[in-house]
Amino acid sequence: MIICYSIPQIIIYIFKLKLLYLLGIGPNLRHCVFCDSEKGNTLSLLNGGLVCNNCKGNIEKDDILLFGEKVSFIRTLYYLDLKKVNNLNF
């Protein structure tokens, strides 16, 4: 899947992600929300962050999940230095 966004769209997404963290409600993108494993690869919106393969049984049926490239894209945006946005090749 190829993700194509304009620079203004990317800046808005980065701003929104960083604002969520400043408000104290940003998703946990560092480790599994259940066991603190750094191998979280699924983003669970109801649980507020990453979930590893071992803890997927804790996910509720009505949860909204993001996988693979979408999770990588969100992580990239969050950790991206805004000074480097003009050098992006999405």
Side-chain angles (χ1 to χ4, degrees):
M1 177 173 93
I2 297 174
I3 302 173
C4 297
Y5 294 103
S6 69
I7 296 298
Q9 285 175 312
I10 292 171
I11 292 171
I12 290 169
Y13 290 140
I14 293 169
F15 175 79
K16 287 179 179 181
L17 270 174
K18 294 192 184 270
L19 181 61
L20 288 174
Y21 276 91
L22 289 173
L23 294 172
I25 56 173
N28 177 349
L29 299 174
R30 293 192 182 273
H31 51 77
C32 176
V33 295
F34 295 109
C35 72
D36 291 333
S37 167
E38 292 185 6
K39 298 185 188 239
N41 56 5
T42 301
L43 183 61
S44 163
L45 296 186
L46 284 180
N47 292 299
L50 296 176
V51 178
C52 69
N53 287 332
N54 294 334
C55 296
K56 282 188 179 176
N58 296 323
I59 296 174
E60 298 178 32
K61 288 192 308 185
D62 57 345
D63 199 347
I64 298 171
L65 304 174
L66 299 176
F67 305 93
E69 290 181 13
K70 292 178 184 177
V71 174
S72 296
F73 184 67
I74 290 170
R75 276 182 164 162
T76 300
L77 291 182
Y78 178 71
Y79 293 113
L80 185 67
D81 182 355
L82 285 175
K83 295 174 188 170
K84 298 179 181 178
V85 169
N86 286 331
N87 300 332
L88 294 179
N89 291 320
F90 282 102

